[in-house]
Amino acid sequence: MSDSVRDAFIGQLRSFGMTAVFGNPGSTELPMFRDFPDDFRYVLGLQESVVVGMADGYAQATRNAALVNLHSAAGVGHAMGNIFTAWKNRTPLIITAGQQARSMLVGEPFLFADQATELPRPYVKWASEPARAQDVPAALVRAYHLAMAPPQGPVFLSVPVDDWDEPVDPGQPLPPHTVSTAIRADPALLGRVTEALAHARRPALVVGAGVDRDQAFAETIALARRHQARVWAAPLSARCGFPESDPLFAGFLPAARDGVREHLGEHDVVVVLGSPVFPYHVEGTGPHVPDGTTLFQLIDDPATAAWTPLGTSVVTSIGLGVRDLLAGPAPSPRPAPPVRVRPARVDEPDTISEALLMQTLADVRPESSIVVEEAPSSRGVMHDYLPFDRPDSFYTCASGGLGHGLPAAVGVALARPNQRVIALLGDGSSMYAIQGLWTAARESLPIVFVIVNNHAYAALDEFARHFGISKPVGTTLPDIDFAGLARDMGCAGLAVRHPEELTTALRDALAAPTPTLIEVQVTSSQ
């Protein structure tokens, strides 16, 4: 008796090391899980967007594609916010969605997806509903290699419910094979970058999420030290690309053209590694960099290189590109740049400011811990008081959407069971995916969820000033009992309102073997 499509599909997943399935099951997915294999793990989320967020965190932390299983059109629709975020995060996901039986698709059956492959576009690299059931395993192979190829990202497969039990096509063997995903730069073009760095007077590096994604952290440190270059974090970077306590680290570029130009004013050569040039959040005028500054970009995405507005873009894997830069000519002697001035420590006996919270968290967290952040209004304070100095130590949402951080922390914790994961969340943003607490409790994950509770969508209050709006509507949140919500979903939960409680609460939570949510009532540090 020949294998079924399901058997071949599961076998291919196993060969790719993809034995975790993130899902919220629906009717048209059930046959996929007939005789679910013992060596696979099904991670249940209580809403489809939460499921994608968990898979995103897991894929980033394992550096392998993760499998997401959704329900036809309604489930994919619920998930679209975090599919968009996975696209911006450059996260390799294989998203499968159930479809009604092929014999029913001539009409409009209940719970089917009309134009199923169009629904997730343009935020997937490839979308397919195979023409035959027997083509589903081959489509998976193609999907995996596309998801993992630079720039990485999500892909989508729609599978009719009756495909899974069909026999495979013996004339379509699927032997294991390897696809190289490394991109090597044009040597002549990269030579222009090495020459410019070697002869620069005051060079700078701008590091984006691509440095950490491509495991180029150590090489980037070596490049900065070789050239005595100041290092800036790219605007809105979703990963840590350089140790923020290092004397060469200069700070964080703002997501505004005028601010970028001002911060880069002293540099004659700027090399951007693994980031667009530049992700802006507000309109600006004038040049993107100061007059007289030469800009180079190393990026693994030709599409991003194509819209870069100035300078020279080199399409390359970041790790390979930085190693090639290290092999370039010796630089001219130059003095070390000035060291960034860090803010003084805070001491507040009466209330908890965002600064005190971040400072205390920096003091008590284990050196190997990982922070997954989604507290937009607190990010600037976090930059000042909670530095990250290691690769794979910091994750945040690259899209600007909400509802990613809480479930992504669950995914990271599943992938990194020997490291402590801290989810640093705003009160407003946490409510987009609060169901993720249930999965954390179900999986007994020792995550510390820290809710920065300022009773508002404070990031919008701040941004309203850009438009001259003094009192925006809809930004004040009523009281929400976050600790109670956590307890109802199976986590430990407590509220902290006084400074003397903060250190003990964080230390106890970091030592707990199961998830704990700490709601911290804060006053603004601005």
Side-chain angles (χ1 to χ4, degrees), residues 121-484:
R121 288 181 173 137
Y123 301 121
V124 292
K125 293 181 69 176
W126 181 62
S128 174
E129 186 175 273
R132 306 182 305 156
Q134 289 76 13
D135 296 330
V136 171
L140 171 64
V141 174
R142 180 177 176 183
Y144 178 78
H145 291 303
L146 281 171
M148 294 296 291
Q152 294 181 340
V155 295
F156 178 83
L157 293 176
S158 172
V159 184
V161 66
D162 51 341
D163 282 7
W164 297 108
D165 293 317
E166 289 293 309
V168 297
D169 181 354
Q172 189 181 50
L174 294 171
H177 68 291
T178 300
V179 175
S180 174
T181 58
I183 303 172
R184 199 103 202 197
D186 176 350
L189 202 56
L190 204 60
R192 291 169 55 185
V193 187
T194 61
E195 285 290 334
L197 276 174
H199 296 99
R201 296 186 309 279
R202 291 181 299 277
L205 306 181
V206 176
V207 296
V211 169
D212 200 22
R213 279 199 305 264
D214 206 34
Q215 298 179 275
F217 200 88
E219 292 86 349
T220 300
I221 295 172
L223 184 68
R225 290 179 180 164
R226 184 172 197 245
H227 291 281
Q228 289 293 303
R230 298 195 83 186
V231 181
W232 298 90
L236 305 172
S237 180
R239 303 277 285 265
C240 172
F242 194 83
E244 295 166 14
S245 299
D246 193 280
L248 291 174
F249 185 69
F252 301 84
L253 293 180
R257 189 186 302 192
D258 294 346
V260 168
R261 193 167 60 242
E262 178 183 349
H263 282 70
L264 297 180
E266 66 181 90
H267 303 295
D268 58 331
V269 173
V270 173
V271 180
V272 180
L273 304 174
S275 171
V277 177
F278 287 103
Y280 299 134
H281 194 196
V282 295
E283 291 180 291
T285 58
H288 296 272
V289 296
D291 292 338
T293 298
T294 301
L295 185 138
F296 298 94
Q297 176 192 43
L298 273 61
I299 193 76
D300 65 1
D301 182 8
T304 299
W307 66 256
T308 297
L310 77 164
T312 300
S313 293
V314 182
V315 177
T316 178
S317 297
I318 305 305
L320 287 176
V322 175
R323 286 194 287 275
D324 286 342
L325 292 182
L326 284 167
S332 303
R334 57 177 70 96
V339 176
R340 177 189 181 207
V341 178
R342 301 297 297 268
R345 287 183 64 86
V346 295
D347 182 12
E348 297 163 344
D350 300 321
T351 61
I352 303 174
S353 68
E354 293 167 308
L356 181 63
L357 170 59
M358 302 300 171
Q359 176 181 281
T360 307
L361 190 56
D363 290 342
V364 303
R365 73 185 184 102
E367 184 179 355
S368 63
S369 62
I370 299 169
V371 172
V372 182
E373 178 265 331
E374 190 175 278
S377 64
S378 303
R379 192 166 298 156
V381 181
M382 181 191 74
H383 288 160
D384 287 336
Y385 291 94
L386 181 57
F388 299 98
D389 293 325
R390 297 178 300 101
D392 298 309
S393 63
F394 174 74
Y395 300 86
T396 192
C397 165
S399 71
L402 299 179
H404 170 264
L406 193 155
V410 174
V412 172
L414 285 166
R416 300 288 181 87
N418 297 321
Q419 292 177 262
R420 184 63 61 157
V421 174
I422 301 163
L424 184 60
L425 310 166
D427 52 338
S429 65
S430 67
M431 290 303 297
Y432 281 67
I434 201 71
Q435 304 97 320
L437 294 175
W438 182 89
T439 303
R442 174 186 170 92
E443 300 288 339
S444 297
L445 300 172
I447 305 171
V448 180
F449 297 95
V450 179
I451 306 294
V452 186
N453 192 351
N454 52 27
H455 303 288
Y457 293 117
L460 290 180
D461 287 336
E462 294 169 13
F463 202 70
R465 292 193 283 272
H466 171 74
F467 298 109
I469 301 171
S470 59
K471 190 179 172 84
V473 297
T475 61
T476 301
L477 292 178
D479 288 339
I480 300 171
D481 183 3
F482 289 97

Side-chain angles (χ1 to χ4, degrees), residues 472-512:
V473 297
T475 61
T476 301
L477 292 178
D479 288 339
I480 300 171
D481 183 3
F482 289 97
L485 279 171
R487 290 191 293 269
D488 287 346
M489 291 195 185
C491 302
L494 68 154
V496 173
R497 292 175 170 80
H498 303 290
E500 65 271 15
E501 304 168 342
L502 184 59
T503 298
T504 299
L506 288 171
R507 282 182 172 154
D508 288 349
L510 287 165

